[in-house]
Amino acid sequence: LDSSQWNAFSLELALTEARIDFGARAPSQRRAQNFYVPSRDSLRYQYVLECLITNQVSTVVVGPACSGRSALLKNTLFGVVFDFTKQLVTDHVTMSSHCDATRFKENIERLLEWRPSKLTGERKLRPHLESKLICYVEDLHLGWTDQHGDQPAIEAIRDYLTDKAWLSSRKRRWREIEDVTIFACMAANAPETARVSRRVLHRFNLVTLDEPDTETVHARLKTYAEQV
């Protein structure tokens, strides 16, 4: 640490780097949620997330509008994390009114295969070779709600976090799963957030983002408007 070169955080420099990164993306990826501008706080959060990822701790990032929760998590999971490990495979699932338990499970299981467990030798669904799967769930609070007020896709996540297994939607068999970690983001003040059960949330580690300062929000929005 004594021999490292440390520089004070500069918002202007961060915005310049964000413009370059955003402009280099494919047109389909130039969306607001992909415009990531780090701040003093996000650098601290990123370090915490790196520790949680490497230790396979399923986590929900909660934050208000314009806090950058989605951009922070995606930048860490799909970019920064590969700077210190090559073992991870990342996948993206967006919760919506069309995402039920069957669709969610199939999205995850297509990346897994039946292989002997490293601990017990029993056959379980696991990522390929020695990889570990990180599933990024965007907008956890927007999952489909049935006529009884339940959210089946989120309950499937709870089953996995509780028992490391879930019920196959088609074959009705209990499927044990290994080496899968779930990271999700969720709005702090959306009406739909209240529908997410506490029995689900208490299975996650929670990271709460603070309200961003006015200067950072204005700079982000102004720069994004210039790019589009």
Side-chain angles (χ1 to χ4, degrees):
L1 291 177
D2 293 336
S3 61
S4 299
Q5 296 294 321
W6 296 91
N7 296 312
F9 176 79
S10 168
L11 181 58
E12 287 301 320
L13 178 60
L15 287 171
T16 301
E17 293 176 346
R19 291 189 190 100
I20 296 172
D21 177 72
F22 193 73
R25 292 176 181 267
S28 61
Q29 293 296 313
R30 294 176 191 168
R31 297 180 294 173
Q33 58 267 41
N34 293 332
F35 186 69
Y36 174 67
V37 181
S39 64
R40 291 180 181 86
D41 288 334
S42 67
L43 295 176
R44 301 186 187 101
Y45 292 130
Q46 186 169 293
Y47 172 73
V48 173
L49 289 173
E50 289 174 8
C51 293
L52 294 169
I53 292 167
T54 53
N55 288 283
Q56 295 183 272
V57 180
S58 293
T59 300
V60 172
V61 177
V62 184
C66 294
S67 62
R69 60 182 183 275
S70 177
L72 169 65
L73 200 45
K74 285 196 288 188
N75 179 71
T76 306
L77 291 175
F78 295 92
V80 176
V81 70
F82 295 109
D83 292 339
F84 55 86
T85 179
K86 303 299 181 184
Q87 266 195 312
L88 300 179
V89 177
T90 53
D91 190 43
H92 184 172
V93 178
T94 300
M95 283 292 187
S96 69
S97 57
H98 304 291
C99 186
D100 57 13
T102 299
R103 181 172 297 184
F104 178 80
K105 292 175 184 178
E106 288 177 347
N107 280 334
I108 304 299
E109 291 180 3
R110 66 185 172 84
L111 298 172
L112 306 176
E113 56 189 40
W114 288 103
R115 298 175 54 231
S117 168
K118 292 182 292 185
L119 300 177
T120 64
E122 299 177 0
R123 280 169 53 83
K124 295 184 179 181
L125 281 173
R126 296 179 53 204
H128 185 60
L129 298 178
E130 297 303 315
S131 300
K132 301 178 188 300
L133 175 62
I134 300 289
C135 177
Y136 166 58
V137 181
E138 189 166 4
D139 296 331
L140 182 69
H141 56 293
L142 296 182
W144 174 67
T145 304
D146 64 17
Q147 65 270 28
H148 304 293
D150 295 326
Q151 296 176 298
I154 295 179
E155 291 299 324
I157 294 175
R158 184 176 72 91
D159 286 342
Y160 170 68
L161 295 179
T162 304
D163 300 314
K164 298 300 181 186
W166 59 38
L167 188 67
S168 169
S169 298
R170 300 191 183 279
K171 296 186 177 181
R172 300 297 176 185
R173 294 177 181 173
W174 195 244
R175 290 186 165 177
E176 293 188 79
I177 303 171
E178 193 172 88
D179 287 336
V180 176
T181 310
I182 297 175
F183 280 77
C185 70
M186 185 174 72
N189 46 7
E192 297 85 358
T193 301
R195 296 205 303 258
V196 181
S197 171
R198 290 185 180 180
R199 65 185 181 183
V200 175
L201 291 179
H202 93 278
R203 296 290 177 182
F204 283 99
N205 179 76
L206 297 180
V207 174
T208 304
L209 305 187
D210 295 328
E211 191 83 34
D213 61 80
T214 305
E215 179 190 6
T216 301
V217 173
H218 286 176
R220 283 174 176 170
L221 295 178
K222 179 182 177 181
T223 307
Y224 174 69
E226 292 172 351
Q227 301 304 308
V228 298

